[in-house]
């Protein structure tokens, strides 16, 4: 991994063309901010793919799910821990260019009384050798963003299901590529959006299914998290995440907030993102943080960023509903995903979590969500509360991994599929295009090719 103090760090990231492929464009890329009309047409639709499946894809049941992990740092290691607590899995291989971390995570597997996993990590693309060599059912990637698509594609073309950390991709071409490979090779390609499984979000989903909010009309969501210290860190995400802020301006991380809202609104299962508009504030937060925390003449003080400190994106759905989506990671602030869901009979407002239901709540007053949790808690959380205790992010990470493995073992459609991964990840490059074009509206591609109108809604699940 290149040293972020070294000027080669910028060169390497520019070679990766961050923000330049697809619709995502930044000032530092040296490319025109407006793609040719022909390119836009290609990215908006793929008639060569033909129709999407009539029913959501389900593979044959797998008794023991054999897993290979690519990227076992912070989140990747957390997923390995979760998988060690699940029935019916075998951790066959680990792939990470940090050999010491590979060895550390391997020791967790053997300490659990399991066979040592095969080790990969000779270079950044050694995951290809793993996918070609190992007898795996699932390849799970938790790498830097630019490797998500290459790992998933390598997995699927070698006959493995794929699961990826968020976002699945950040170009519309790669969104279509994931859809194409999943359909061609008949494999799952799942974006692991853990916030779909957080307890408040699942309670809101349950309440919406019970009709307590009436008809859902509007939602507000986002990723509001002060990441300045993380972006400038000498380890982990600091080695790569800051580079995106140098060449891209838009909503770079939409899915934590958008995933739960999309589920409530039945996106790809009765409704669809139709178009969006996006705009960004000036970019000052990272520059000011660097000036305040590094000595004179330090290379990081000379870096320049184009990512607006606050991005606001508005999405309209085919059924006319509206979604406000925010990205805010460069300024001092408490954490929030907003999570406001509003219907004709009431609403839920997150951070702090509170509810107002007409005829149930006191007039014009909020109720604390805990007042209603015993009655409206999602059944899956009731079933798995004890088992998920102590897992990452309050237990939701364990529940998302549990659900993935359960679907694979039972031969059922996964909760999120490749079309969800594409639709939500596409918000990023589309927002970048809108920002670069005076907030002009741009259509969201229909990755389902019309199937969204007939695919069944997500159900209320039990363990």
């Amino acid at each position: 991994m290149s040293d972020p103090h070294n000027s080669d760090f910028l060169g390497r990231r520019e070679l990766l063309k961050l923000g330049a492929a697809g619709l995502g464009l930044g000032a530092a890329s040296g490319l025109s901010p407006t793609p040719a009309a022909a390119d836009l047409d290609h990215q908006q639709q793929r008639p060569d793919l033909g129709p999407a499946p009539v029913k959501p894809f389900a593979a044959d049941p797998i008794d023991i799910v054999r897993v290979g992990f690519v990227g076992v740092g912070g989140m990747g290691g957390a997923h390995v821990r979760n998988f060690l607590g699940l029935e019916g899995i075998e951790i066959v291989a680990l792939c990470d260019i940090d050999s010491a971390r590979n060895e550390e995570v391997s020791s967790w597997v053997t300490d659990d009384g399991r066979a040592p996993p095969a080790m990969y990590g000779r270079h950044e693309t050694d995951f290809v050798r793993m996918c070609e060599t190992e007898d795996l059912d699932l390849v799970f990637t938790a790498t830097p963003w630019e490797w998500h698509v290459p790992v998933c594609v390598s997995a699927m073309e070698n006959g493995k299901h794929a699961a990826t950390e968020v976002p699945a991709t950040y170009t519309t071409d790669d969104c279509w590529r994931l859809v194409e490979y999943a359909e061609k090779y008949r494999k799952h390609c799942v974006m692991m959006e853990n916030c779909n499984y957080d307890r408040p979000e699942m309670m809101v989903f349950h309440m919406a299914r019970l009709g307590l909010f009436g008809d859902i009309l509007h939602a507000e969501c986002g990723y509001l998290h002060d990441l300045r210290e993380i972006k400038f860190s000498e380890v982990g995400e600091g080695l790569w995440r800051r580079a995106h802020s140098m060449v891209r301006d838009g909503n770079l991380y939409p899915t934590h907030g958008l995933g739960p809202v999309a589920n409530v609104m039945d996106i790809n299962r009765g409704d669809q993102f139709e178009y969006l508009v996006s705009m960004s504030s000036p970019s000052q937060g990272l520059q000011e943080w660097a000036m305040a925390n590094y000595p004179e003449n330090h290379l990081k003080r000379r870096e320049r960023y184009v990512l607006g400190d606050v991005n606001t994106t508005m999405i309209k759905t085919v059924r006319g509903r509206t979604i406000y989506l925010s990205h805010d990671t460069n300024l001092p602030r408490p954490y929030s995903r907003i999570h406001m869901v509003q219907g004709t009979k009431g609403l839920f407002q997150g951070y702090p979590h509170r509810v107002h239901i007409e005829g149930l709540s006191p007039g014009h007053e909020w109720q604390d969500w805990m007042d209603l949790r015993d009655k409206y808690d999602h059944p899956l959380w009731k079933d798995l509360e004890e088992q998920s205790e102590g897992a990452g992010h309050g237990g939701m990470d364990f529940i998302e991994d549990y659900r993935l493995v359960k679907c694979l073992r039972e031969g059922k459609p996964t909760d999120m599929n490749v079309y969800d991964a594409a639709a939500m990840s596409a918000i990023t490059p589309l927002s970048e295009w809108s920002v670069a074009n005076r907030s002009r509206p741009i259509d969201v591609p229909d990755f389902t090719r019309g199937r969204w109108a007939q695919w069944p809604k997500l159900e209320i699940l039990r363990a």
Side-chain angles (χ1 to χ4, degrees):
M1 182 66 70
S2 300
D3 184 347
H5 284 295
N6 194 308
S7 60
D8 288 343
F9 175 69
L10 293 182
R12 177 174 180 270
R13 294 304 170 189
E14 287 172 351
L15 286 173
L16 290 170
K17 298 182 180 178
L18 293 177
L23 297 179
L25 297 162
S29 69
L31 300 178
S32 167
T34 306
D39 291 338
L40 275 176
D41 288 343
H42 170 69
Q43 292 158 349
Q44 292 293 88
Q45 51 192 335
R46 285 287 305 276
D48 58 300
L49 295 183
V54 174
K55 298 187 297 183
F57 173 68
D60 292 336
I62 305 169
D63 184 34
I64 302 296
V65 180
R66 296 166 55 85
V67 190
F69 286 90
V70 182
V72 291
M75 280 306 300
H79 286 295
V80 172
R81 291 277 196 197
N82 291 340
F83 271 66
L84 289 173
L86 297 173
E87 295 181 0
I89 68 97
E90 182 180 345
I91 297 177
V92 175
L94 303 176
C95 180
D96 199 296
I97 58 174
D98 184 341
S99 58
R101 179 63 173 178
N102 238 4
E103 293 289 347
E104 179 186 5
V105 175
S106 177
S107 72
W108 303 348
V109 179
T110 55
D111 288 349
D112 197 52
R114 301 169 185 262
M119 307 289 271
Y120 294 82
R122 295 174 182 171
H123 45 74
E124 288 182 322
T125 59
D126 206 25
F127 60 83
V128 175
R129 185 168 64 96
M130 185 191 82
C131 291
E132 292 174 343
T133 303
E134 297 294 337
D135 183 14
L136 302 170
D137 300 301
L138 173 68
V139 174
F140 195 125
T141 179
T143 56
W145 299 340
E146 62 264 24
W147 295 108
H148 289 179
V149 171
V151 174
C152 289
V153 165
S154 182
M156 290 186 285
E157 66 184 0
N158 283 285
K160 284 81 170 163
H161 300 299
T164 177
E165 263 297 337
V166 300
T169 174
Y170 50 84
T171 75
T172 49
D173 271 348
D174 275 343
C175 288
W176 279 115
R177 190 179 182 200
L178 292 180
V179 170
E180 177 184 3
Y181 274 69
E183 292 180 353
K184 178 180 179 180
Y185 293 102
R186 293 187 55 78
K187 293 298 173 184
H188 290 296
C189 183
V190 182
M191 184 175 69
M192 301 297 289
E193 180 41 74
N194 57 349
C195 295
N196 287 356
Y197 299 90
D198 202 7
R199 196 164 198 162
E201 280 85 344
M202 292 198 76
M203 175 175 145
V204 171
F205 179 82
H206 188 209
M207 293 176 71
R209 283 290 187 266
L210 295 174
L212 289 167
F213 300 119
D215 293 333
I216 304 299
L217 303 178
H218 176 72
E220 299 178 8
C221 56
Y223 185 64
L224 291 69
H225 188 184
D226 181 358
L227 295 180
R228 293 173 298 170
E229 188 171 350
I230 290 174
K231 288 185 180 183
F232 282 99
S233 173
E234 305 297 338
V235 297
E237 294 183 20
L239 298 176
W240 57 269
R241 190 164 185 163
R242 189 173 76 260
H244 288 264
S245 303
M246 300 175 187
V247 293
R248 304 172 60 204
D249 186 14
N251 192 312
L252 303 193
Y253 205 63
T255 69
H256 276 349
L258 190 57
V261 163
N263 284 347
V264 169
M265 288 189 171
D266 301 315
I267 298 301
N268 289 339
R269 298 165 181 83
D271 201 356
Q272 182 198 9
F273 301 139
E274 186 173 21
Y275 65 90
L276 64 77
V277 297
S278 187
M279 61 185 67
S280 293
S281 76
S283 176
Q284 292 181 214
L286 295 181
Q287 289 92 330
E288 292 184 4
W289 201 94
M291 296 297 287
N293 287 275
Y294 293 100
E296 190 174 355
N297 296 324
H298 195 285
L299 284 177
K300 288 180 180 176
R301 290 173 65 118
R302 293 159 49 191
E303 293 176 356
R304 293 295 177 264
Y305 308 97
V306 300
L307 176 65
D309 291 337
V310 179
N311 173 269
T312 301
T313 299
M314 291 294 301
I315 305 171
K316 189 85 165 180
T317 76
V318 171
R319 291 180 56 189
R321 298 183 288 190
T322 50
I323 302 171
Y324 166 95
L325 176 65
S326 180
H327 181 262
D328 175 354
T329 62
N330 295 343
L331 299 172
R333 60 157 304 112
Y335 182 90
S336 173
R337 296 194 300 273
I338 306 175
H339 198 59
M340 192 276 276
V341 174
Q342 188 165 19
T344 55
K345 295 182 180 179
L347 75 163
F348 181 97
Q349 175 72 63
Y351 300 90
H353 304 314
R354 52 207 191 275
V355 187
H356 180 84
I357 303 295
E358 189 173 46
L360 178 64
S361 305
H364 303 283
E365 294 182 15
W366 292 106
Q367 284 182 281
D368 189 284
W369 79 296
M370 292 296 291
D371 295 342
L372 302 175
R373 200 179 81 175
D374 284 348
K375 186 173 184 179
Y376 297 115
D377 199 11
H378 194 289
L380 190 61
W381 258 99
K382 292 181 179 180
D383 294 344
L384 295 176
E385 180 174 12
E386 183 175 344
Q387 194 174 352
S388 65
E389 187 174 357
H393 297 102
M396 62 181 175
D397 294 359
F398 177 85
I399 293 178
E400 72 163 341
D401 290 338
Y402 170 92
R403 281 295 305 162
L404 174 62
V405 170
K406 184 178 177 67
C407 290
L408 293 177
R409 296 190 70 202
E410 295 183 357
K412 295 181 178 179
T414 52
D415 298 344
M416 293 193 70
N417 56 36
V418 70
Y419 309 99
D420 302 314
M424 284 191 282
S425 296
I427 300 304
T428 290
L430 299 175
S431 73
E432 293 178 69
W433 185 91
S434 182
V435 168
N437 287 274
R438 295 179 58 84
S439 302
R440 284 169 52 194
I442 184 168
D443 289 347
V444 180
D446 177 11
F447 298 100
T448 77
R449 285 94 82 202
R451 297 296 191 197
W452 62 268
Q454 57 189 259
W455 282 342
K457 297 180 180 181
L458 293 174
E459 301 175 354
I460 300 296
L461 303 166
R462 301 299 302 245

